[in-house]
Amino acid sequence: MVMKKKKGEAAEDEESGCKQLRVKGVRYLWESGIKRVPAEYILPLADRPGNAEIGSMINKKALELPTIDLSLLQDSGRRPRILKTLSKACKDHGFFQVVNHGIPAEALARLISSSRRFFRQPYEERAKYMSNDIWAPVRCGTSFNQLQDGVFYWRDFLKLNCHPLHTFLHSWPSSPFDLREEAMSYAKHTKGVFLVLMEAILETLGVARGMLHEFQQGTQMMVMNHFPPCPEPELTMGMPPHSDYGFLTILLQDKVKGLQVQHGDQWITVDPIVGSLFVNVGDHLEIFSNGRYKSVLHRVLVNSSKSRSSVASLHSLPFDSVVRPPPEIVDGEERLYADTDFASFLNYMTSHETKHKHFLESRKVVAASPAAKIN
Ligand SMILES: O=C(O)CCC(=O)C(=O)O
Ligand SMILES: [Fe+2]
């Protein structure tokens, strides 16, 4: 005999069902057929993207993204002009797109396809890599910073530590069968793009290129993001406004729009050229350049009909290196930020809700106390 449940019990069941699904990731919530976003995902009114805003952002003529043709950097006649564009983009925008980067379009398409198939696997396959340990070299999870999020975000992710590749490769997921190979190839390619860009950026900042070998040995983290459709996209987000910690983030996205960057007092929807890569300045480059180059706030919106995939590759100095402006940059100039390193960032992540530019702000030297400790 089937006993009819009382209203309260049914609501409780629904809540605990949602909790179980939430742990499994937002893909499961979406596939369960929910028509409403569970309460844990609903942002306070002030933080919501807002219907009107989404509409105006998508209809608005997109900002023309500063574009760097990487192949022209090798051309000594054209290099000075490209460096000028690069410097201006890092100063005024904190982002740009890169074309003619040399990564075959097929390799990019294969990586997106493999990443999609990873998130489509049954929970048990992904559960093998789920961890609350922010130091874990492979980490699968959901939301933004699961440990600290007051409100959950509509995102599932896989983070892969990529440096040194030979140490970590064997611990990456072996299913789908091609994920390791495609991710490894993309990691090598993006490291190359990062080094070409850093060489150019050091030149624009007047810093000796001898530093480049440090970037060669630098940390690299790959983040595969999956944003399933969402029944009420105006109430939640895929990722909150945040800045990335490293020097540069190189981002590959599929054709579905969702990424927005802050420019002036507006959120601009990024509408990239197919095959291009989107690059944004991170906190470490802002600290290194003593504020000349700006790490940019960005966020991800979701929509009710299409899932979206992106793969971010975050690059910085070696794990133990101290990030600080070199003498060429702070020659007699006041320091804006205290020194930092990767470990301080990870420790910060485990104890704070890392929205906006909180980490960078935590490194700010307070003007009123010139004797502020720089460490
Ligand atoms: O999905 C995107 O477009 C952005 C992803 C992102 O910001 C990140 O992984 O840090
Ligand atoms: Fe980001």
Side-chain angles (χ1 to χ4, degrees):
M1 186 177 75
V2 181
M3 300 256 285
K4 207 161 175 214
K5 292 208 165 152
K6 290 194 203 123
K7 217 172 166 188
E9 283 177 54
E12 259 172 44
D13 279 1
E14 193 180 315
E15 201 177 300
S16 87
C18 275
K19 260 196 194 121
Q20 280 169 21
L21 288 171
R22 191 189 71 217
V23 174
K24 287 184 164 189
V26 276
R27 192 204 108 198
Y28 276 83
L29 274 175
W30 167 248
E31 287 179 355
S32 72
I34 53 168
K35 298 281 179 285
R36 313 289 307 260
V37 163
E40 304 96 305
Y41 292 83
I42 299 181
L43 289 165
L45 211 56
D47 293 347
R48 291 182 201 166
N51 259 334
E53 194 186 357
I54 296 177
S56 68
M57 285 302 165
I58 287 178
N59 297 331
K60 201 184 235 154
K61 187 179 174 309
L63 170 91
E64 208 164 300
L65 302 177
T67 303
I68 302 299
D69 184 331
L70 216 62
S71 67
L72 296 184
L73 273 176
Q74 320 302 332
D75 178 336
S76 58
R78 288 164 158 173
R79 189 172 169 92
R81 190 171 52 81
I82 307 294
L83 291 183
K84 227 171 160 180
T85 311
L86 181 61
S87 167
K88 191 167 164 34
C90 293
K91 237 183 235 158
D92 299 347
H93 294 81
F95 58 85
F96 51 90
Q97 65 185 338
V98 172
V99 296
N100 293 327
H101 41 64
I103 311 180
E106 305 76 46
L108 299 180
R110 285 198 305 266
L111 179 68
I112 288 280
S113 151
S114 186
S115 149
R116 273 203 197 112
R117 280 178 280 119
F118 174 79
F119 291 105
R120 252 191 250 139
Q121 298 180 114
Y123 170 69
E124 293 66 35
E125 198 50 48
R126 290 187 297 120
K128 292 179 192 165
Y129 307 98
M130 283 188 170
S131 165
N132 278 338
D133 177 9
I134 204 152
W135 299 79
V138 180
R139 197 158 68 90
C140 200
T142 188
S143 191
F144 183 61
N145 178 5
Q146 244 163 302
L147 298 175
Q148 297 297 330
D149 289 340
V151 174
F152 288 95
Y153 294 91
W154 204 259
R155 167 177 89 134
D156 294 333
F157 67 81
L158 171 67
K159 293 193 178 179
L160 303 174
N161 196 337
C162 301
H163 187 86
L165 258 180
H166 58 83
T167 306
F168 294 118
L169 187 62
H170 70 277
S171 55
W172 292 359
S174 51
S175 174
F177 74 97
D178 56 345
L179 187 127
R180 275 188 197 169
E181 196 182 325
E182 296 306 338
M184 178 181 68
S185 149
Y186 185 68
K188 286 182 182 165
H189 274 125
T190 44
K191 183 77 168 208
V193 170
F194 170 68
L195 291 174
V196 171
L197 287 171
M198 275 319 298
E199 184 181 19
I201 285 174
L202 291 180
E203 196 174 331
T204 64
L205 290 169
V207 177
R209 71 185 291 286
M211 252 208 93
L212 212 57
H213 79 274
E214 276 201 61
F215 287 105
Q216 223 145 16
Q217 297 310 317
T219 59
Q220 180 177 9
M221 181 74 78
M222 195 183 300
V223 186
M224 297 186 175
N225 296 306
H226 181 66
F227 306 96
C230 172
E232 294 177 295
E234 64 283 3
L235 300 183
T236 185
M237 265 190 227
M239 284 178 99
H242 68 281
S243 57
D244 294 338
Y245 65 82
F247 272 72
L248 295 177
T249 299
I250 302 178
L251 182 84
L252 168 68
Q253 10 173 7
D254 67 10
K255 288 188 196 123
V256 181
K257 284 185 204 154
L259 173 63
Q260 292 193 325
V261 283
Q262 196 179 52
H263 186 56
D265 57 0
Q266 288 198 319
W267 285 106
I268 308 286
T269 302
V270 173
D271 188 5
I273 300 175
V274 176
S276 70
L277 296 167
F278 183 81
V279 179
N280 62 272
V281 172
D283 292 350
H284 286 175
L285 181 49
E286 181 159 343
I287 294 171
F288 179 86
S289 66
N290 206 30
R292 284 174 181 67
Y293 292 167
K294 298 281 183 300
S295 85
V296 68
L297 271 185
H298 51 289
R299 65 184 194 181
V300 179
L301 305 189
V302 285
N303 69 80
S304 58
S305 59
K306 288 183 182 149
S307 66
R308 176 172 180 273
S309 299
S310 69
V311 184
S313 182
L314 287 81
H315 302 258
S316 187
L317 285 171
F319 189 82
D320 295 323
S321 291
V322 175
V323 180
R324 64 160 77 99
E328 295 97 312
I329 288 185
V330 279
D331 184 23
E333 188 175 296
E334 243 178 70
R335 292 273 308 270
L336 295 186
Y337 300 103
D339 294 352
T340 191
D341 57 24
F342 208 127
S344 327
F345 171 73
L346 288 180
N347 287 330
Y348 189 89
M349 285 279 283
T350 49
S351 50
H352 294 78
E353 199 177 354
T354 45
K355 277 195 293 187
H356 300 270
K357 290 171 99 164
H358 288 173
F359 175 69
L360 191 64
E361 272 152 26
S362 77
R363 309 311 296 164
K364 252 188 189 151
V365 175
V366 183
S369 59
K373 201 170 157 234
I374 311 271
N375 65 19

